[in-house]
Amino acid sequence: MTTATAGGRAREAVGGGEVPVRWVWLAAWPVTAVFVLSNAATPLYVLWQREMGFGKGTLTVVFACYIAGLLGSLLVSGVLSDRIGRKPVLLPALGLALVACLVFATAGGVGALIAARLCTGIAVGAVVSAGMAAVTDVAGPARRRLAALLASCAMVFGAGLGPLLAGVLSETLPGPTVTVFAVEAVLLASAVVVVVRMPVRGAHGGRGGGGREARGWVRVPGVPRGAGWQLALGIAVFAPGITATSFVLSLGPSLLAGLLGTESRIVSGALAFAMFLSATGVQFAVRRLGRRTVLAYGAGATALGMAALLLAVRTGSVAALAGAALLAGAGQGMGQLGGLSLLNSAVPGARLAEANAALNVGGYLPAGLLPVSAGYLSDAVGLTTGTTVFGATLAGLAVAGGGLVLLGRRRAPSAA
């Protein structure tokens, strides 16, 4: 076989789902590596708070700067990836993630933490649009459900692995911040190697865009005509779920300190890991269910998680807090899997990265705003009252999202 023939067959395999399945798994690794960084700082915030002297309101602002960078990235990265290809977006994103590691490792003040979180958010925004679409491209049309499962699990598993690694490394090795982010830099470097070798095709050239290719490069991402209902259902469940996990990540260490009287970074990292392990495991458990059934279960899990959170802060129960984290993780995992699966079934490859970006804009916007509001409210009226208001609000949103899914099932039962 000639080299040209081999190259041609490789290109055909990318388009036809014939790439070895190991490459579908490997294509998800850059998503995991960047999401390890996204939450690696979580157990370290207590340490930074003590050294730099800032309150819970400032802490949630630092966290929200990550959301701001992510949302800004999503306005560009999805469209850019669909037009010029996955690799030209992913490689700079990984480079920016490496820069964030350096800034985190040498941070001497709140300004440095904000800069590092912004860089992290921009990198994550590129990965959730271009990286997750790349998994689908590598998988091919015959493996779209597998691609949605692996891309979604890669995201939540990385998000949980980050705080666990950071908690263990920072408690057991010298130079906690330097060590944590040096290890993460190695993981990111391996992701660069995977992206360079990934058998993914280049730009889609704007095909299937319904004329949208003539519009600007920076815009609020959307979906093709006819896929808006699928996007709305995904956001209705994914947004409350990821907002719940964002709250646990940003203020969970403070809750643990109040309930357990401990600032152990291993304990807070383990809580975050358990939350996202729940998000990963539940997706494998429900992968054979209908997409809208998965979304309905996700809405229910988030609502129950917020009920458990209210119980935890009212009774001082650590078990209830752990239950809240596990249920919040399950809610995000099912909301994310259901939303991605609906988009994968309705959106052509030429618009898939932009559709992924649209789902994440809808999810991360409340995930940035509500925890910040809860943080400042907690500073003003106390952590118990602030958490109660937040939990009740989010439970209501989750129930409303579940109702929308049930309404959508009656509207289009064949798509369930």
Side-chain angles (χ1 to χ4, degrees):
M1 181 187 303
T2 65
T3 303
T5 302
R9 290 195 176 180
R11 286 189 294 272
E12 290 173 6
V14 172
E18 298 176 6
V19 166
V21 71
R22 69 176 182 275
W23 263 113
V24 186
W25 288 78
L26 281 172
W29 171 242
V31 179
T32 299
V34 171
F35 270 90
V36 169
L37 173 65
S38 72
N39 291 332
T42 298
L44 304 175
Y45 285 135
V46 173
L47 181 64
W48 282 320
Q49 276 186 287
R50 185 167 61 245
E51 292 178 352
M52 301 175 189
F54 55 84
K56 289 184 285 293
T58 301
L59 174 60
T60 52
V61 168
V62 172
F63 184 85
C65 285
Y66 158 78
I67 304 291
L70 188 152
L71 291 174
S73 177
L74 289 174
L75 298 179
V76 181
S77 57
V79 176
L80 193 66
S81 172
D82 285 336
R83 291 190 186 181
I84 70 173
R86 312 306 185 204
K87 292 184 182 182
V89 173
L90 287 174
L91 290 173
L94 290 169
L96 194 59
L98 287 165
V99 170
C101 285
L102 177 62
V103 177
F104 269 130
T106 58
V110 173
L113 296 181
I114 288 175
R117 289 297 279 170
L118 277 171
C119 290
T120 302
I122 294 170
V124 168
V127 164
V128 297
S129 51
M132 298 175 94
V135 178
T136 301
D137 285 353
V138 171
R143 297 171 177 162
R144 282 204 158 202
R145 286 195 75 124
L146 173 64
L149 175 65
L150 293 184
S152 184
C153 287
M155 173 179 168
V156 292
F157 182 71
L161 184 60
L164 180 64
L165 275 176
V168 172
L169 292 175
S170 65
E171 288 277 10
T172 59
L173 296 176
T177 54
V178 174
T179 301
V180 167
F181 293 106
V183 171
E184 167 59 7
V186 173
L187 299 182
L188 289 168
S190 70
V192 171
V193 175
V194 170
V195 171
V196 169
R197 300 189 60 189
M198 187 185 299
V200 64
R201 60 189 168 200
H204 289 278
R207 297 187 305 275
R212 287 172 63 101
E213 64 272 17
R215 295 174 56 186
W217 292 81
V218 180
R219 63 171 185 256
V220 176
V223 293
R225 186 181 302 274
W229 186 244
Q230 287 88 339
L231 175 63
L233 292 181
I235 290 175
V237 179
F238 176 51
I242 197 169
T243 303
T245 57
S246 296
F247 177 80
V248 174
L249 285 171
S250 59
L251 289 181
S254 298
L255 285 170
L256 280 173
L259 295 179
L260 289 178
T262 177
E263 295 185 353
S264 169
R265 296 186 291 277
I266 294 179
V267 172
S268 62
L271 178 69
F273 179 72
M275 179 172 67
F276 286 111
L277 188 62
S278 169
T280 304
V282 75
Q283 292 181 67
F284 281 95
V286 303
R287 68 187 186 280
R288 299 188 188 281
L289 299 179
R291 299 178 181 95
R292 300 190 191 212
T293 300
V294 171
L295 286 173
Y297 286 167
T302 300
L304 288 173
M306 292 303 96
L309 181 65
L310 296 181
L311 178 64
V313 297
R314 289 294 176 180
T315 65
S317 170
V318 176
L321 179 60
L326 294 175
L327 285 165
Q332 179 188 334
M334 287 187 280
Q336 184 174 296
L337 176 62
L340 285 173
S341 297
L342 281 177
L343 292 180
N344 273 6
S345 69
V347 178
R351 292 286 301 281
L352 189 57
E354 184 183 356
N356 289 343
L359 176 67
N360 282 281
V361 166
Y364 276 103
L365 191 58
L369 294 176
L370 289 180
V372 169
S373 301
Y376 276 107
L377 184 62
S378 296
D379 280 340
V381 300
L383 190 57
T384 298
T385 302
T387 301
T388 300
V389 172
F390 172 85
T393 301
L394 203 56
L397 292 175
V399 170
L404 187 64
V405 170
L406 295 178
L407 175 66
R409 178 177 292 174
R410 289 197 296 271
R411 171 177 169 173
S414 61

